Amino acid sequence: MPDPYAASRAAGERIEALYGRPVAELAADTAPGSMRHALLNSFDALQYADRAVTFHAEQLHRLTHPDRAIESVDLGHIADATRRLAHAVTVRDSHAQVLGDVLNSLVRVHDVTSQASAAPQALAVTPAPPPAAPTEPARSR
């Protein structure tokens, strides 16, 4: 059986590589509204989705165990467990896809202190031109 936590494990390793610190340490000092906060919230959702897949797979396995006699009443429960498992897999895969795409778009900045200590460069600011006056008078109906 494939690793049910492969998606969240890979995302966690990528976050740790990106920030250079363990996820638990990153979560301790995260400011709401930051990219790191959003990444960690997405990572938590992915971990929850991984656990849901495992839970529903175990539930379906328990309902369809070879040593268990399946009666007509169980068919609804089996169909429901199958539907829930399929939904959990879909949710997990979508979380993994979005989080993976975001993580792939980010790169680690290696030396932030030397960039921060460099003198900020002035930006040339030009004022916006004033709006043009209308050439024709406005008509009313």
Side-chain angles (χ1 to χ4, degrees):
M1 181 173 157
D3 180 14
Y5 299 105
S8 60
R9 188 171 292 116
E13 289 169 358
R14 179 73 174 106
I15 291 171
E16 288 175 351
L18 186 66
Y19 286 97
R21 296 180 6 208
V23 172
E25 187 178 312
L26 291 169
D29 63 344
T30 299
S34 66
M35 175 57 93
R36 183 168 58 184
H37 182 76
L39 282 173
L40 292 175
N41 279 343
S42 294
F43 178 63
D44 286 344
L46 178 58
Q47 286 182 314
Y48 182 78
D50 273 346
R51 288 190 300 272
V53 168
T54 302
F55 172 80
H56 291 299
E58 289 171 355
Q59 180 74 3
L60 184 60
H61 179 70
R62 186 183 63 76
L63 289 170
T64 59
H65 193 272
D67 295 338
R68 185 175 184 272
I70 297 177
E71 299 175 6
S72 62
V73 213
D74 297 325
L75 296 179
H77 296 292
I78 293 170
D80 185 54
T82 304
R83 181 188 57 79
R84 288 175 189 260
L85 177 59
H87 183 262
V89 168
T90 302
V91 168
R92 191 248 346 250
D93 290 350
S94 70
H95 279 297
Q97 179 68 42
V98 170
L99 186 57
D101 289 347
V102 170
L103 287 170
N104 287 335
S105 72
L106 299 174
V107 294
R108 182 174 180 183
V109 177
H110 294 287
D111 194 6
V112 179
T113 56
S114 67
Q115 291 175 359
S117 64
Q121 297 179 357
L123 297 176
V125 178
T126 57
T135 56
E136 289 186 26
R139 288 189 236 164
S140 63
R141 290 187 184 202

